[in-house]
Amino acid sequence: MKKSVVLYKKLSAPLMARLHEQAEVTLIESLDESGLAKLREALPAARGLLGASLRLDAKLLDLAPNLEAVASVSVGVDNYDIDYLTQRGILLSNTPDVLTETTADTGFALILATARRVVELANMVRAGNWNQNIGPLHFGSDVHGKTLGIIGMGRIGEALAQRGHFGFGMPVIYHSHSPKPAVEQRFNAEYRSLPDLLQQADFVCLTLPLTAETEGLIGAEEFALMGPETIFINISRGKVVDEPALIEALQQRTIRAAGLDVFVREPLGHDSSLLRLNNVVATPHIGSATHETREAMATCAVDNLLAALAGEKPKNLVNPTAWKH
Ligand code: NAP
């Protein structure tokens, strides 16, 4: 008998066909109130779950007593109660690697957009306000040759370092749990303590996961260590940053600008002060959002889920201690 699988993310036709061949599929089209009600109804029979952007806590998981595997269509796993999943022996998988380069591209798009004021000045042109040759009031700052500071030297951090070092001749400094000799050799990068990095980098880029340890890592004290020319880039998770402290630093111009792909509350509320600041470039969590990469992520998630439901170890198992075979 086919196992019951609940999707809370729409997949391409070929991937849907693959899943239908091997499982009984329930698709939750959106995570609005009626979608969530449909999800709750489907959970009791579910053996597998696949999706993203939903907080899967113990309360929701308790509605799924037969659950064997959860395949997240993301690399970040901050939406999952991993301890509880592990305790229940439910295999959690994610989609690393396939989104690394695209997310680093997004990071670099934000670096260029903030430094050269691309969005602000393009909006000026669109509004019909380009009335004379621009002068120093509209100048940006250089990217090439400036110091790139990367906090979280993992897959995405490394891909960002590659772009900065080889593409833009930027000295790279970084902070991670531990030094990375291979990265240092490849990109001539140097390890720094967090305070040193914040003081020395022209671009401070966050590429670490949201965990209990990183929540609120960058707050008022950290922004105070940055200089008035520093540009702050966040492509990790919104909650790694104390958002009111960031807003204060941007409003007071104690830092120059911010390029933000992630926020404490997503979608970003219309009342957010970030929307009223010219020195902010805000994108709607588009880190991995290209056709090619999203399809690769979905394929990876389907592979992980089908492997787990077939009793095989998924390639990207997040909680290996849940593996009992
Ligand atoms: P990764 O390879 O696991 O890299 C994360 C790095 O962060 C690791 O090198 C780790 O250092 C470092 N780190 C973790 N906690 C730290 C701490 N407290 N202090 C300093 N460094 C710390 O992960 P990845 O694939 O690069 O992805 C990173 C994150 O990016 C994801 O978790 C996700 O939240 C985010 N992301 C966002 C988007 C988007 O759409 N904006 C897309 C993809 C990913 P060690 O190696 O020394 O332990």
Side-chain angles (χ1 to χ4, degrees):
M1 210 175 94
K2 286 180 179 176
K3 289 185 176 177
S4 169
V5 158
V6 178
L7 306 186
Y8 50 98
K9 191 170 198 60
K10 216 171 169 185
L11 303 179
S12 65
L15 286 175
M16 283 304 271
R18 237 185 100 197
L19 268 180
H20 275 294
E21 255 172 41
Q22 306 199 35
E24 200 63 54
V25 181
T26 303
L27 173 63
I28 310 297
E29 298 254 5
S30 84
L31 291 172
D32 57 10
E33 240 173 75
S34 84
L36 285 173
K38 204 175 151 200
L39 175 74
R40 281 191 205 96
E41 268 171 40
L43 283 176
R47 308 284 284 274
L49 276 181
L50 182 147
S53 312
L54 172 68
R55 174 89 196 129
L56 263 194
D57 54 18
K59 205 170 149 204
L60 211 49
L61 289 166
D62 279 345
L63 299 176
N66 299 304
L67 198 60
E68 296 168 25
V70 177
S72 186
V73 192
S74 67
V75 67
V77 285
D78 44 281
N79 261 333
Y80 303 88
D81 187 333
I82 299 177
D83 288 343
Y84 189 62
L85 284 165
T86 306
Q87 186 190 316
R88 291 232 346 238
I90 299 167
L91 304 180
L92 174 66
S93 55
N94 67 347
T95 62
D97 305 316
V98 291
L99 49 56
T100 297
E101 299 297 332
T102 298
T103 308
D105 286 348
T106 303
F108 235 90
L110 289 173
I111 287 174
L112 289 166
T114 45
R116 300 301 305 274
R117 301 168 63 178
V118 172
V119 176
E120 179 192 352
L121 298 179
N123 283 343
M124 181 185 88
V125 175
R126 187 181 285 256
N129 292 332
W130 184 23
N131 301 320
Q132 55 188 14
N133 287 344
I134 61 141
L137 261 185
H138 296 110
F139 289 170
S141 53
D142 280 341
V143 173
H144 65 272
K146 293 288 179 67
T147 299
L148 178 61
I150 298 175
I151 304 178
M153 188 52 90
R155 290 169 290 242
I156 295 168
E158 204 175 320
L160 204 61
Q162 184 181 26
R163 284 154 179 73
H165 175 67
F166 291 115
F168 290 80
M170 301 171 88
V172 176
I173 57 178
Y174 73 99
H175 177 73
S176 254
H177 278 134
S178 53
K180 316 277 177 207
V183 169
E184 294 185 8
Q185 209 179 1
R186 231 175 122 205
F187 308 121
N188 202 18
E190 290 180 15
Y191 185 84
R192 293 282 187 279
S193 68
L194 184 59
D196 282 356
L197 183 143
L198 297 171
Q199 285 174 317
Q200 293 166 19
D202 295 304
F203 295 89
V204 171
C205 304
L206 296 190
T207 52
L208 33 63
L210 173 62
T211 62
E213 190 193 359
T214 64
E215 186 163 355
L217 183 75
I218 307 296
E221 246 176 66
E222 288 69 30
F223 286 115
L225 291 173
M226 302 178 201
E229 295 304 319
T230 307
I231 292 182
F232 179 72
I233 304 290
N234 189 3
I235 53 169
S236 67
R237 286 290 184 265
K239 285 183 183 162
V240 176
V241 179
D242 175 350
E243 217 163 76
L246 167 64
I247 290 167
E248 176 75 12
L250 287 163
Q251 282 172 338
Q252 300 305 320
R253 304 264 166 174
T254 61
I255 65 170
R256 185 187 177 94
L260 308 169
D261 188 44
V262 287
F263 306 88
V264 169
R265 194 176 121 208
E266 295 180 6
L268 187 58
H270 298 296
D271 56 345
S272 171
S273 303
L274 290 169
L275 298 179
R276 290 186 288 282
L277 290 166
N278 272 342
N279 52 347
V280 170
V281 174
T283 48
H285 202 143
I286 59 166
S288 63
T290 65
H291 291 294
E292 302 91 328
T293 295
R294 283 293 169 87
E295 185 62 9
M297 290 164 68
T299 304
C300 177
V302 168
D303 289 345
N304 284 326
L305 185 66
L306 291 178
L309 294 180
E312 295 156 18
K313 192 173 180 177
K315 182 171 169 228
N316 309 111
L317 186 57
V318 172
N319 55 347
T321 49
W323 177 252
K324 302 256 160 57
H325 293 258

